[in-house]
Amino acid sequence: QQQVKQSPQSLIVQKGGISIINCAYENTAFDYFPWYQQFPGKGPALLIAIRPDVSEKKEGRFTISFNKSAKQFSLHIMDSQPGDSATYFCAAMRAGNNRKLIWGLGTSLAVNP
Amino acid sequence: EAQVTQNPRYLITVTGKKLTVTCSQNMNHEYMSWYRQDPGLGLRQIYYSMNVEVTDKGDVPEGYKVSRKEKRNFPLILESPSPNQTSLYFCASSWVAGGRYEQFFGPGTRLTVL
């Protein structure tokens, strides 16, 4: 049972376009939602994160949109660049739950030049 | 430089030959964990440790052991590796402060069991 469902599995975007990756969760007790970025041959690294008390968080070209009522959150990459080509993972965590992150299955993003 | 290191980075072994993958972090983090990453299955937690001498099973602990005798080290032990343990393994350590939580991942260990 996948507690955090991520889509699409793969995504191809043209340079300059907007990449959108979506995640949905079931457990309303989750209170922290990070996105991790993984380049080939590397470990994942935290990209951006949000808590449910805000609906949007922006850091540079990366934005998380959060819809608490729909139990969904998404990553938007504006002006996508070939250097953004990577695998993106969403995750969720419940405070006090042994700091366990519940992971989505990942989205492989390719940005064509 | 703050980092998580893993050794070896690549390992090819045979079924049944005990092996250890080392993990070390220099950030004084209390929480450490091991993941395996397989195509289409994402990141699955194997074991985690909240502090020295405190370890617990993650989602896929079968066939693995861990120990946490020192804060900085968290080795992963495969007593009798099998081909279904062929995977990419990541060690991670984490901190939480000011409402922000971050896991720092090592570079990964690609294990092949023949």
Side-chain angles (χ1 to χ4, degrees):
Chain A
Q1 168 190 359
Q2 194 70 25
Q3 295 188 52
V4 176
K5 296 182 179 179
Q6 184 173 345
S7 63
Q9 186 174 356
S10 62
L11 181 61
I12 300 174
V13 174
Q14 292 300 119
K15 178 182 176 181
I18 302 174
S19 304
I20 302 174
I21 305 171
N22 300 298
C23 283
Y25 63 96
E26 294 293 325
N27 191 342
T28 56
F30 289 145
D31 64 353
Y32 182 73
F33 302 89
W35 285 89
Y36 279 74
Q37 179 188 53
Q38 182 182 27
F39 292 108
K42 304 289 187 182
L46 180 65
L47 181 63
I48 187 172
I50 197 168
R51 291 198 178 273
D53 53 344
V54 297
S55 60
E56 184 176 283
K57 183 174 183 180
K58 184 176 182 179
E59 292 184 1
R61 295 184 294 108
F62 300 90
T63 300
I64 298 180
S65 297
F66 187 83
N67 186 329
K68 189 173 183 177
S69 61
K71 294 188 286 186
Q72 294 176 348
F73 59 109
S74 59
L75 176 69
H76 296 239
I77 306 175
M78 311 300 289
D79 188 26
S80 298
Q81 300 295 312
D84 297 329
S85 298
T87 299
Y88 293 81
F89 292 95
C90 65
M93 186 176 75
R94 176 166 62 88
N97 190 28
N98 296 327
R99 302 189 195 177
K100 182 180 175 65
L101 281 171
I102 309 299
W103 297 86
L105 294 184
T107 296
S108 177
L109 171 65
V111 181
N112 289 334
Chain B
E1 178 189 357
Q3 60 182 347
V4 178
T5 57
Q6 294 179 227
N7 282 292
R9 293 290 313 279
Y10 303 90
L11 179 60
I12 301 174
T13 189
V14 295
T15 299
K17 187 177 182 181
K18 181 179 179 180
L19 67 91
T20 298
V21 183
T22 64
C23 172
S24 183
Q25 51 96 2
N26 62 1
M27 295 168 280
N28 202 36
H29 291 165
E30 292 180 345
Y31 186 98
M32 298 184 73
S33 58
W34 275 102
Y35 293 91
R36 61 177 289 173
Q37 184 175 22
D38 303 286
L41 297 178
L43 292 160
R44 293 182 292 169
Q45 190 182 56
I46 303 171
Y47 269 94
Y48 66 94
S49 171
M50 297 292 286
N51 212 327
V52 176
E53 302 292 359
V54 181
T55 63
D56 207 347
K57 297 177 181 178
D59 299 315
V60 288
E62 295 78 18
Y64 304 94
K65 287 176 57 178
V66 293
S67 69
R68 188 91 182 273
K69 293 181 170 51
E70 305 167 280
K71 198 171 189 178
R72 63 183 293 126
N73 296 323
F74 189 43
L76 179 69
I77 304 157
L78 285 70
E79 294 269 3
S80 182
S82 62
N84 65 11
Q85 292 178 298
T86 293
S87 187
L88 179 59
Y89 291 87
F90 289 101
C91 178
S93 71
S94 67
W95 67 279
V96 56
R100 181 180 170 89
Y101 172 78
E102 183 169 359
Q103 284 203 1
F104 293 85
F105 284 80
T109 295
R110 185 165 292 281
L111 172 66
T112 301
V113 183
L114 302 176

